[in-house]
Amino acid sequence: MTITSTTMSSLAYQSIILLTAAALCAITLQLLSCKRDSIVIQRTQEEDVVAPSVLLRRRHLLDLNMGIELERKTYKLPFYMEQNLVNWDNLERSVETRDTPIFWHVLKSGGSAIKLMYATCYQITSASETGAWIEREQQEALARQQAEEAGSERRRLEGEDQVSPMEWVQKTIIEQWQVWDESAEEAPDNQQQLHVVVAEDGRKYVNVDVTTMEGIARASRLGFASSGLADVIFTPLLRESAELLLDGDNHNGRMFAVFRSPVDRIVSLFYYLQQATWEPTYNPEYASMTIDEYAHSPLCESNWMVRSLVNKMEGPLEPSDIAIAKEIIRQKCIVGLLSEMDETIRRFHSFFGFENDEALTCARQNFAAAGGSQSNSHKHPKLDPDGETWQAIESKNMLDIRLFEYAIELWHEQGGWLQNENML
């Protein structure tokens, strides 16, 4: 083969290119090596002055935050939760402002005890369903009194009894309630007023029911957010309450909740609802069912916590739903655990700025222990975790179980944060 001068020039040119590329690669590798050595040296110097436990915690939190940041790029919080609920660790807005604590009441997780604790030990004004009940009871008592007085006057004037006194009183009460019900339905919202009602034992509540959608909507129309009447809100409907009971400007909320093992909670709720005819969620079918029949029936709860947070009470759930639910808890919620009720009460007391030490003592003595004198616990048969009934309930609530496990992780992390901020 004959090699021409043109061919030699081409080969030389290609050789120069290859040599140049090799040199650039070598320089790049050297620079990366130097940067790596610099990072190692910096990390070593940091480890020399910072306790290993602190470093491990920092790295763990960094890993967690990086993971959540990746999720946050894909999953956004519901608008009103993002807008109207303050991030739990946001200290730029003091917890002593009008940011109202809002308790997400997951039934049979200790919420009734927390609600009664604040009303009796701390003696602060609450918004739940109780205020509406008390107001109705007071109106009924007033109706009975008025009926009795009217009956006595009628009998005095007529000089004889046309009907028995009890029959006349009952008839008058029914008539009076019909008048009140009709006037309440016809009266526009601007003729109704929010106010504080006081129970016979001194507990104070706003005259609303924020445990139902209708009650929340009514409270919103009456100007609940700007009224400033409630020191704390208790509701199972967190999304609806965040949207309608808070305004995102001067009246934000700070979420807190108590979590319990989902299977234990559902079993407890089933036995409770077999007898709790007064509850809105009461179903007479429960009374004749066994727990095994309930577990295998369509009535059994299915991931209520996740569904409630993402507003998807029916239909299949997706991986994004548990991601959003976790992110809501991570950003917004002061986490409590039913299994750690004494420590939970201490954290809530410290975080929300309740400086009344006597109230804390009252709370811990009466509400900290499971089955305490003021708890809403009730005895019922226990399930075998290895049994078929337990597994049936568990299989229907796998996402709630994952959320509960995540809440436990956050519980430990928040405990460290509170200690670092000298809040415990």
Side-chain angles (χ1 to χ4, degrees):
M1 180 179 64
T2 302
I3 300 177
T4 65
S5 59
T6 302
T7 303
M8 292 181 64
S9 298
S10 177
L11 291 173
Y13 179 71
Q14 292 178 8
S15 298
I16 292 172
I17 292 176
L18 291 173
L19 290 172
T20 302
L24 289 174
C25 288
I27 293 172
T28 301
L29 290 173
Q30 185 175 6
L31 289 174
L32 289 174
S33 178
C34 292
K35 184 175 182 180
R36 181 195 61 196
D37 293 341
S38 175
I39 293 173
V40 171
I41 291 171
Q42 182 179 0
R43 181 176 297 173
T44 302
Q45 290 174 344
E46 181 183 17
E47 292 173 349
D48 288 340
V49 297
V50 182
S53 60
V54 175
L55 282 175
L56 288 174
R57 184 165 63 251
R58 286 182 183 174
R59 290 173 185 169
H60 175 69
L61 291 174
L62 179 61
D63 292 342
L64 176 65
N65 290 334
M66 290 178 64
I68 294 297
E69 287 294 339
L70 291 176
E71 289 185 355
R72 191 180 298 168
K73 294 179 181 179
T74 305
Y75 307 111
K76 294 183 179 180
L77 300 189
F79 175 78
Y80 289 105
M81 290 189 181
E82 178 66 46
Q83 181 76 13
N84 295 348
L85 295 178
V86 180
N87 284 8
W88 74 269
D89 59 349
N90 181 1
L91 297 184
E92 294 179 1
R93 292 178 59 94
S94 170
V95 294
E96 296 178 358
T97 66
R98 285 308 302 169
D99 294 338
T100 305
I102 178 168
F103 184 85
W104 182 40
H105 190 175
V106 181
L107 296 181
K108 304 312 296 179
S109 295
S112 296
I114 295 293
K115 179 168 60 177
L116 188 59
M117 177 189 78
Y118 281 121
T120 57
C121 293
Y122 290 89
Q123 299 181 354
I124 60 179
T125 302
S126 304
S128 57
E129 74 281 19
T130 311
W133 291 354
I134 292 175
E135 184 172 56
R136 185 174 183 88
E137 288 176 355
Q138 292 176 346
Q139 290 176 343
E140 288 177 348
L142 178 61
R144 286 193 297 268
Q145 179 183 352
Q146 292 175 342
E148 290 170 359
E149 292 174 352
S152 298
E153 180 66 13
R154 176 182 174 181
R155 290 191 300 273
R156 186 185 69 80
L157 294 175
E158 293 181 353
E160 61 181 4
D161 293 332
Q162 300 295 329
V163 295
S164 69
M166 182 56 65
E167 290 176 345
W168 195 92
V169 168
Q170 291 176 344
K171 178 176 180 295
T172 304
I173 291 176
I174 293 173
E175 292 175 350
Q176 184 64 54
W177 265 113
Q178 289 175 344
V179 172
W180 282 348
D181 287 342
E182 291 174 0
S183 61
E185 292 176 358
E186 296 173 359
D189 289 333
N190 59 12
Q191 294 182 12
Q192 303 179 33
Q193 291 183 347
L194 296 177
H195 60 271
V196 175
V197 295
V198 182
E200 293 182 357
D201 59 3
R203 289 174 292 126
K204 296 177 292 184
Y205 300 92
V206 184
N207 63 326
V208 293
D209 181 356
V210 295
T211 65
T212 67
M213 190 60 245
E214 295 79 7
I216 291 172
R218 173 181 174 272
S220 177
R221 292 193 301 269
L222 296 178
F224 179 89
S226 60
S227 72
L229 293 176
D231 297 310
V232 60
I233 300 169
F234 293 90
T235 179
L237 304 178
L238 180 66
R239 186 192 67 84
E240 294 83 352
S241 296
E243 177 180 354
L244 298 175
L245 301 182
L246 307 168
D247 62 19
D249 295 322
N250 298 320
H251 308 93
N252 285 7
R254 286 186 178 268
M255 176 187 175
F256 66 123
V258 175
F259 293 85
R260 182 184 186 183
S261 167
V263 178
D264 286 334
R265 184 187 69 79
I266 291 170
V267 172
S268 177
L269 182 63
F270 166 75
Y271 284 110
Y272 173 71
L273 290 179
Q274 281 191 315
Q275 305 174 5
T277 56
W278 57 89
E279 289 284 1
T281 52
Y282 172 76
N283 188 330
E285 292 185 50
Y286 294 160
S288 60
M289 297 178 72
T290 66
I291 183 61
D292 185 67
E293 291 172 338
Y294 172 75
H296 290 88
S297 76
L299 295 174
C300 183
E301 265 195 23
S302 174
N303 298 304
W304 182 89
M305 291 195 297
V306 172
R307 290 182 180 278
S308 178
L309 289 174
V310 302
N311 192 31
K312 189 183 288 187
M313 300 310 295
E314 297 180 352
L317 293 171
E318 302 174 359
S320 60
D321 294 323
I322 182 62
I324 293 172
K326 284 183 175 181
E327 185 68 352
I328 292 171
I329 299 301
R330 187 192 74 85
Q331 287 192 41
K332 304 297 183 179
C333 186
I334 302 294
V335 172
L337 297 178
L338 182 64
S339 59
E340 302 286 349
M341 195 57 125
D342 185 67
E343 175 66 12
T344 292
I345 291 172
R346 289 181 61 242
R347 291 188 185 186
F348 291 167
H349 176 90
S350 175
F351 185 84
F352 290 112
F354 300 131
E355 301 298 336
N356 188 337
D357 292 337
E358 293 182 1
L360 177 60
T361 300
C362 168
R364 296 179 70 181
Q365 288 178 348
N366 293 283
F367 297 96
S373 61
Q374 299 293 336
S375 73
N376 191 37
S377 61
H378 62 286
K379 294 182 179 180
H380 57 77
K382 303 296 182 182
L383 281 188
D384 178 7
D386 296 324
E388 182 181 352
T389 303
W390 178 289
Q391 294 174 7
I393 298 174
E394 185 179 61
S395 65
K396 293 183 178 182
N397 292 273
M398 291 305 299
L399 295 186
D400 268 11
I401 291 172
R402 288 171 57 187
L403 186 64
F404 172 67
E405 292 171 346
Y406 186 67
I408 294 176
E409 295 179 15
L410 294 177
W411 159 269
H412 292 293
E413 291 181 5
Q414 289 181 0
W417 184 91
L418 291 168
Q419 289 181 345
N420 291 338
E421 296 294 330
N422 296 318
M423 299 181 70
L424 281 181

